[in-house]
Amino acid sequence: IGWGGGNAISPIGILGSGTTGTSCSGEALIRTMAAMALPGGGETIYVATYGSAYENARLAGHIFNATVNPSFSNPSFSASPVWQDLTLNPVTNDTVAMNAYNLDISSIFVDSHDPTGKTVYVTVEGIPSAIQSVRSLYRTTDGGLHWAAMTSNLPWAPANSVLVDPQDANTVYLATDAGVYFTTRIATCASGPANCWSAFGTGLPEAPVVQLSAVSAPGSAQVLVAGTYGRGVWQTPLWTAKAGLTFATVDATSLTFASQTSGTASSAQTVTLTNTGSAALTPTTIAVTGDFGETDNCQQATVNAGASCTIQVTFTPTQAGSRTGQMTIFANVYGGQFIVALSGTATAAGTVTLTPPTVDFHQVEVGTTSAPLQVEAGNSGGAPVPISGVAISGPFEIASNSCGTTALQPQTDCQVMVEFAPTVAGAATGVLTFTDGAGTQTVALSGTGAAPPTDALSPASLTFPGTVIGQLSSAQTVTIANSGDLALTSIAALVSGAFQVSTNCGTQLAARSSCSINVVFAPTAAGVQSGTLTVSDIIQTQKVPLSGTGLLPPAIAVSPTSLNFAVQPVGVASAPATLTVSNSGGAPMANVGFQIVGSAAASYATGTTTCGAVLASGSSCTVQVIFTPTSTTLSAATLVVSSSSLGVTPVSVPLNGNGSTTTVLTATPSQLTFPGVLVGQSGAAQTVTIANTGSFAATSLVLTVAAPFSLTQNTCAGSLAAGKSCTTGVVFTPTAAGAATGTLSIASTSAANPVAVALSGTGTVPFDFTLTASGATSQTVVGGQVANYTLVITPAPGSSGTFSFQCGTPPTNALCLFNPASETLAAGVTGNVAVQISTGQSGSASLIPPSGWRALPLLCGLLLLPLSRKRSRAGLLLAVLFAIVAVGVTSCAGSGGSGGSSSPAKGGNLTPAGTYTIPVTVSSNNVQRSITLTLTVD
């Protein structure tokens, strides 16, 4: 970087690789620069280095600045400038560092509206994306000590050039790859409004805009000139040219505020802006810094020639001491802005505290006012604090205020009494506000408006079902519900008449809850009885009518009064005897039950009963009693009939009966086996003889059998006398081929246990056979050897036919052969077939071609030999053909023969080691049978 004094150019510094000053071992390549002359002499210079994409760029994409004070009498300078790296300084409105991705800084613009040269704009030549948060425009107002990203709503495109309007410092133009954008309020773009930037001008070609320049000297056309990439130079009027420039004055270039207590706002001072030109004045933005604020009627207003607008400035110091700031007024005037210096002095405020910081009144009944609670204000400072007001909000009231509205003296305190007067139920909040010279202090107020208690009773009356005299009914409940927010107190409950009361309410019921009053009916006489439940509380006294009916107790009556059974074989149950149970009382009887007691209780049992859970008054039910004697002696017991209802006396029913020797049944033979019978036909009947070897007749003799068996010529029906026998025939009629089983069951009511005869038979079809193995179905051989198996075919009785054989898929290189290949068997003849599985061949016996075809691959190869001469690469094709011939010969050798050899096969075509399952199917007359052979190859 050089500086020219006259016609001379002298070096003023070399940017190095990471240090300030001029002594560096390496150089950083300069991408762009900008400078501005300072009012006191010299210049401030800003330069940017190339980004990281430029070869081995040092300090890629960094911004530097230096202040140059040349001595024209000595162009070499009396002192070298010091360069400062500004890139790593903080970005005040972003979490991403300045030019965080070290991209090219495409342009630098020093705003001439700022005479200090510290308002600078830089553009970044990079494309923002969801992955890289590239900021295409930065601004600094303090010479690069702090930066602000100004991208706001700019498009995702590289920025190439930036320009500040010569007539309005708040209007900025930006050249991007997506066209020209501008804003008239650059001072507010850092806060990121969504509508900060807008597209500028129309008619530009679809090409990146790479450079901007403005011509706005008096008397010249005020235009913006835009240079594009490969599409020429374009121009359009500047934004400020549309409204025209005018002249204006402010009546004060500085404002000084008197001493002001820290934390309080001063009275406003007025600045008047007057249009002294001939065109309309349009103030665009008023920016204020420091502990100062403003209100105005100037911004975005039109101030005609000769007219004025005003700005009200206030001072609100945040801490004690001298405070300064600046107000900048941007407008369409030459120079674009007015600057008003602001200053003031802040004094320490008194310290005012309110105690306690929060007040909670808790619950207060709606429509009433709480007792007052105290808030104390204390000044612990050394100076009086003026009190400008004490206010309260919400359903809260100030009962008294000893603080007044004048001043709170140092080291003193005062009291404000606060009340809560809720008008509606629910939580309520408010604020006690104490405004004074030390600021504004508040106390948070809270309370809950509480709805008054209620005492709703439900139901309004109670009616009890009939209840036996001297007993208590089930309890019925009356509920007291308090839907209010406060407790219901002074609760009491009592009853009159034949009723009793108990409660869990106590004397107090909490808010929004309920409790129960339990009432029971205790009748003392038969008939309807009434009474009253009286409930009183703090609110009122309420009455609930009560009624119920007293009933005479239930009573058990039986018919007959005793049960006598006929002589019964020992161990055989008698026919059931029926006992009728009646309720002869005036109330229902619950759970009629039966219990048999006595020395012979085991000989009796109760059966089916119609007595349910409740037996109504005057109703009856039945129970069956069964006698099963355990001995031949007299069996006496007692049936006790009872009820779970209180006061019911049980009734006893005597039980008597005699036992005798049991009946004994036998069946000869004990099992029947039927030979093969064609499906759908019946075989010859076989006879079973049934005998009664006991001393009592076998009554109700029953013979049962299930299909495919049936009875014929059955002489056993009704009763079989002692010492007698009868016969029945059993017939087998199969419905499906195969084995079938069944049972002939012989039972009698006088026999202790039924007698069973096992039945079995085999159903056959017109033609059928069985397939078994003679010897093992699993063989282990060495690869190349033959495994041998023998199968046995047995036709069904009367069946004959020709049998064919087939193997499932054999293992690799294995061969399955049958000897004989097929077999014809006459009826009653059993046949054998040998199965050989070789483990050194490929294919199945059924797939071996005739010997004449074994040379087919060789013949195919020879036939193709003449064709090879017609190709240019005869040598290669001949080699392929020889390979085919060789394969053909090998294939023929590997597929011939019928196996049976016990020695390993030559060559490498052996079955791999492993265990294989091979299904073998035998077929004849559309009937198939299969068996699975296992082959293990070592």
Side-chain angles (χ1 to χ4, degrees), residues 807-865:
C807 268
T809 303
T812 302
N813 296 328
L815 187 65
C816 181
L817 297 175
F818 298 94
N819 185 19
S822 65
E823 188 172 18
T824 300
L825 298 176
V829 178
T830 299
N832 295 334
V833 60
V835 183
Q836 293 182 330
I837 302 177
S838 65
T839 60
Q841 302 293 332
S842 63
S844 173
S846 61
L847 301 178
I848 297 177
S851 60
W853 288 90
R854 297 175 182 175
L856 179 59
L858 176 61
L859 292 175
C860 292
L862 294 175
L863 288 174
L864 293 175
L865 282 174

Side-chain angles (χ1 to χ4, degrees), residues 462 464 472-477 502 517-521:
L462 297 179
F464 290 84
L472 297 178
S473 69
S474 297
Q476 295 194 38
T477 300
S502 62
I517 299 175
N518 296 318
V519 180
V520 296
F521 178 37

Side-chain angles (χ1 to χ4, degrees), residues 169-196:
N170 213 22
T171 300
V172 176
Y173 307 87
L174 185 67
T176 74
D177 279 8
V180 178
Y181 286 77
F182 86 113
T183 180
T184 60
R185 45 180 180 151
I186 191 65
T188 62
C189 283
S191 60
N195 59 351
C196 180

Side-chain angles (χ1 to χ4, degrees), residues 781-786 811-815 838-843 894 901-914 916 935 937-938:
V781 298
V782 177
Q785 291 183 343
V786 176
T812 302
N813 296 328
L815 187 65
S838 65
T839 60
Q841 302 293 332
S842 63
S901 174
S902 60
S903 61
K906 296 181 180 180
N909 297 330
L910 299 180
T911 299
Y916 307 93
L935 173 63
V937 180
D938 289 340

Side-chain angles (χ1 to χ4, degrees), residues 24 94 139 230 292 295 337 341 459 606 663 738 807 830 868 890 895 928:
C24 301
D94 203 350
R139 176 182 188 241
F292 301 89
T295 59
Q337 62 188 24
T606 57
T663 299
C807 268
T830 299
S868 67
T890 303
S895 61
Q928 292 184 341

Side-chain angles (χ1 to χ4, degrees), residues 436-447:
D436 52 58
T440 299
Q441 290 78 37
T442 60
V443 174
L445 307 175
S446 63

